[in-house]
Amino acid sequence: MASNGRSRREQRYTRVAIILHWLMALVIVWQIWIGVWMTGAVNDPATQAAAYEAFQFHKSLGLTLLVLAVLRLLWRLTNRVPPLPAHTPGWQKVAARLSHYTLYAFMVLIPLSGWIYVSTGWNSDTGTAFAIPTVWFGLFEWPHIPGLDGNGPLADIVVEMHGLLAFLLTVLLVLHVAAALKHHFVDRDLALWSMLPFISRPSARE
């Protein structure tokens, strides 16, 4: 029996939440790496063609993340969330909640800003229009948002927003991982275990 009368099940995230969490985490890290690589590669004639292919793949992954983020948010709003360990200070509980809300916001806003950018059909680097469709993993054409085509000023805003939010997300992810490791190795509580699949319940204090 779990401490404080809470069952093992109540101390764990749901299976769907765990799958969505780790699937999205892997894709987000992959997306950040692709974004950084192709930003530099697109200016090198030797890697420019590969960068354009990576851009299409990046768009496909981003749109997939947008759908997954909406699904994850809906699941979060309609399912229980394990409470933080009882010994967690109040300020840490507030910080954890704010960081989670911010992560959800970033997971929606970053791919959404990318979708808006490609929907404008405007290259902010060259100040020229482009007509490149978004083909989801080569299977079908993903529609652009109507009414945005040729909107250069909007493109300039959202592409800067896209890059800034991606940077802030990277910082937040590092802090998120650091906090999880602190809970596991320093506080020795169940916070990290509650989201880890295929691992036995550790000895922990509440």
Side-chain angles (χ1 to χ4, degrees):
M1 179 70 66
S3 60
N4 290 345
R6 294 202 304 272
S7 71
R8 175 189 179 97
R9 181 174 181 140
E10 289 172 332
Q11 291 177 299
R12 295 274 286 176
Y13 281 90
T14 63
R15 185 173 300 175
V16 171
I18 292 174
I19 291 172
L20 286 174
H21 175 275
W22 290 107
L23 176 61
M24 293 186 67
L26 290 173
V27 176
I28 287 171
V29 171
W30 197 4
Q31 278 287 76
I32 292 172
W33 182 85
I34 293 173
V36 171
W37 177 83
M38 70 183 190
T39 299
V42 75
N43 296 317
D44 185 348
T47 55
Q48 196 171 64
Y52 283 125
E53 290 185 9
F55 182 59
Q56 279 287 3
F57 188 67
H58 186 73
K59 290 191 293 180
S60 296
L61 282 180
L63 291 167
T64 303
L65 278 174
L66 179 58
V67 173
L68 290 176
V70 172
L71 291 176
R72 186 175 174 186
L73 182 57
L74 291 174
W75 187 265
R76 173 68 180 266
L77 293 174
T78 55
N79 289 268
R80 61 170 181 78
V81 176
L84 285 170
H87 65 82
T88 305
W91 71 268
Q92 287 188 17
K93 292 180 179 180
V94 172
R97 179 166 298 184
L98 288 176
S99 68
H100 283 152
Y101 289 154
T102 304
L103 279 170
Y104 279 110
F106 283 0
M107 286 188 292
V108 172
L109 290 175
I110 293 174
L112 181 59
S113 62
W115 188 17
I116 292 173
Y117 176 65
V118 299
S119 296
T120 65
W122 190 262
N123 189 325
S124 292
D125 290 332
T126 61
T128 58
F130 63 86
I132 302 176
T134 297
V135 183
W136 190 78
F137 295 115
L139 298 176
F140 60 87
E141 185 173 336
W142 187 284
H144 289 167
I145 301 172
L148 302 183
D149 187 43
N151 193 330
L154 177 62
D156 294 340
I157 293 172
V158 293
V159 75
E160 290 294 331
M161 173 182 169
H162 190 73
L164 176 60
L165 290 179
F167 171 76
L168 293 176
L169 175 61
T170 303
V171 174
L172 190 57
L173 286 177
V174 171
L175 294 175
H176 184 68
V177 171
L181 293 176
K182 174 184 177 296
H183 275 287
H184 192 71
F185 292 108
V186 178
D187 300 332
R188 296 188 59 80
D189 57 39
L190 302 177
L192 177 59
W193 170 82
S194 67
M195 185 55 86
L196 286 177
F198 314 121
I199 188 169
S200 60
R201 183 180 185 273
S203 59
R205 71 183 183 90
E206 287 292 328

mmCIF file of all heavy atoms in Angstrom, residues 12 75 85-86 123 162 176 178:
data_model
loop_
_atom_site.group_PDB
_atom_site.id
_atom_site.type_symbol
_atom_site.label_atom_id
_atom_site.label_comp_id
_atom_site.label_asym_id
_atom_site.label_seq_id
_atom_site.Cartn_x
_atom_site.Cartn_y
_atom_site.Cartn_z
ATOM 1 N N ARG A 12 0.513 7.382 -10.079
ATOM 2 C CA ARG A 12 1.040 7.278 -11.433
ATOM 3 C C ARG A 12 0.172 8.074 -12.403
ATOM 4 O O ARG A 12 -1.040 8.202 -12.226
ATOM 5 C CB ARG A 12 1.028 5.812 -11.895
ATOM 6 C CG ARG A 12 1.936 4.918 -11.114
ATOM 7 C CD ARG A 12 3.340 4.940 -11.652
ATOM 8 N NE ARG A 12 3.453 4.207 -12.913
ATOM 9 C CZ ARG A 12 4.561 4.148 -13.630
ATOM 10 N NH1 ARG A 12 5.641 4.802 -13.227
ATOM 11 N NH2 ARG A 12 4.611 3.464 -14.743
ATOM 12 N N TRP A 75 -6.582 15.387 -22.831
ATOM 13 C CA TRP A 75 -6.463 14.281 -21.890
ATOM 14 C C TRP A 75 -6.149 14.788 -20.487
ATOM 15 O O TRP A 75 -6.704 14.305 -19.496
ATOM 16 C CB TRP A 75 -5.376 13.316 -22.357
ATOM 17 C CG TRP A 75 -5.316 12.060 -21.526
ATOM 18 C CD1 TRP A 75 -4.512 11.799 -20.464
ATOM 19 C CD2 TRP A 75 -6.124 10.883 -21.705
ATOM 20 N NE1 TRP A 75 -4.749 10.545 -19.970
ATOM 21 C CE2 TRP A 75 -5.743 9.967 -20.705
ATOM 22 C CE3 TRP A 75 -7.128 10.535 -22.619
ATOM 23 C CZ2 TRP A 75 -6.326 8.707 -20.589
ATOM 24 C CZ3 TRP A 75 -7.708 9.282 -22.498
ATOM 25 C CH2 TRP A 75 -7.306 8.382 -21.494
ATOM 26 N N PRO A 85 4.652 15.118 -4.198
ATOM 27 C CA PRO A 85 4.882 14.591 -2.843
ATOM 28 C C PRO A 85 4.537 15.615 -1.774
ATOM 29 O O PRO A 85 4.702 16.823 -1.964
ATOM 30 C CB PRO A 85 6.389 14.277 -2.850
ATOM 31 C CG PRO A 85 6.698 14.012 -4.296
ATOM 32 C CD PRO A 85 5.825 14.951 -5.068
ATOM 33 N N ALA A 86 4.049 15.113 -0.649
ATOM 34 C CA ALA A 86 3.558 15.996 0.411
ATOM 35 C C ALA A 86 4.640 16.925 0.956
ATOM 36 O O ALA A 86 4.342 18.017 1.436
ATOM 37 C CB ALA A 86 2.971 15.150 1.539
ATOM 38 N N ASN A 123 9.198 34.234 -47.585
ATOM 39 C CA ASN A 123 10.515 33.959 -47.041
ATOM 40 C C ASN A 123 11.049 35.222 -46.377
ATOM 41 O O ASN A 123 11.413 36.188 -47.054
ATOM 42 C CB ASN A 123 11.466 33.498 -48.153
ATOM 43 C CG ASN A 123 12.790 32.998 -47.610
ATOM 44 O OD1 ASN A 123 13.308 33.501 -46.614
ATOM 45 N ND2 ASN A 123 13.346 31.991 -48.263
ATOM 46 N N HIS A 162 8.664 32.042 -33.560
ATOM 47 C CA HIS A 162 8.935 30.613 -33.643
ATOM 48 C C HIS A 162 10.318 30.287 -33.077
ATOM 49 O O HIS A 162 10.469 29.368 -32.254
ATOM 50 C CB HIS A 162 8.844 30.177 -35.108
ATOM 51 C CG HIS A 162 8.874 28.694 -35.314
ATOM 52 N ND1 HIS A 162 7.810 27.876 -35.014
ATOM 53 C CD2 HIS A 162 9.850 27.877 -35.812
ATOM 54 C CE1 HIS A 162 8.119 26.612 -35.306
ATOM 55 N NE2 HIS A 162 9.353 26.597 -35.790
ATOM 56 N N HIS A 176 13.217 21.476 -16.525
ATOM 57 C CA HIS A 176 12.258 20.415 -16.233
ATOM 58 C C HIS A 176 12.978 19.104 -15.921
ATOM 59 O O HIS A 176 12.651 18.416 -14.939
ATOM 60 C CB HIS A 176 11.329 20.245 -17.442
ATOM 61 C CG HIS A 176 10.231 19.253 -17.241
ATOM 62 N ND1 HIS A 176 9.185 19.459 -16.366
ATOM 63 C CD2 HIS A 176 10.014 18.045 -17.809
ATOM 64 C CE1 HIS A 176 8.376 18.416 -16.408
ATOM 65 N NE2 HIS A 176 8.851 17.547 -17.273
ATOM 66 N N ALA A 178 16.124 18.821 -14.942
ATOM 67 C CA ALA A 178 16.887 19.016 -13.710
ATOM 68 C C ALA A 178 15.998 18.849 -12.483
ATOM 69 O O ALA A 178 16.394 18.224 -11.494
ATOM 70 C CB ALA A 178 17.534 20.399 -13.718
#
